[in-house]
Amino acid sequence: MIEGILEGSPDAVGVAVIRLDCGCRKMAAINSQGEPASKIIMYRDNALSICELCQDDQGSFSRVIRQFISWKKPEPDHATQQMITRKVLGS
Ligand SMILES: [Zn+2]
């Protein structure tokens, strides 16, 4: 899934992955400036569509349980990773 997003987004340096408490995920490619490089994709393992809760609230931030960036190889240097992580995930 992440590989597919990266292939479709040549500018991307990584993919932001946001896991929600219902088991669905939000993902979006991120470029080297920390800007979105694809549209946000919502996804649920082994399911054709996201759950009803997400269809209602589009994956509210109040239900986020984990968020991280999966970096494309070769990974950006540490300072760049930190800058992008702060910009994208706010931490
Ligand atoms: Zn869901």
Side-chain angles (χ1 to χ4, degrees):
M1 189 70 190
I2 287 171
E3 287 72 20
I5 296 173
L6 287 173
E7 273 173 27
S9 311
D11 295 344
V13 295
V15 175
V17 181
I18 296 171
R19 299 183 71 124
L20 299 159
D21 61 1
C22 55
C24 302
R25 277 182 245 171
K26 277 191 196 184
M27 291 187 263
I30 303 297
N31 69 17
S32 60
Q33 273 73 53
E35 304 288 346
S38 74
K39 61 183 171 60
I40 295 173
I41 294 157
M42 290 191 71
Y43 175 75
R44 184 174 177 85
D45 282 330
N46 305 316
L48 292 176
S49 64
I50 56 175
C51 73
E52 286 181 17
L53 197 55
C54 287
Q55 290 178 32
D56 280 348
D57 72 4
Q58 302 301 311
S60 168
F61 279 105
S62 64
R63 298 194 292 104
V64 171
I65 53 173
R66 184 161 178 245
Q67 52 184 3
F68 61 94
I69 295 175
S70 177
W71 301 104
K72 184 175 167 179
K73 302 270 189 270
E75 296 186 0
D77 63 58
H78 191 65
T80 305
Q81 288 190 14
Q82 280 191 318
M83 181 278 287
I84 294 172
T85 301
R86 256 199 305 274
K87 194 161 174 179
V88 174
L89 304 179
S91 58

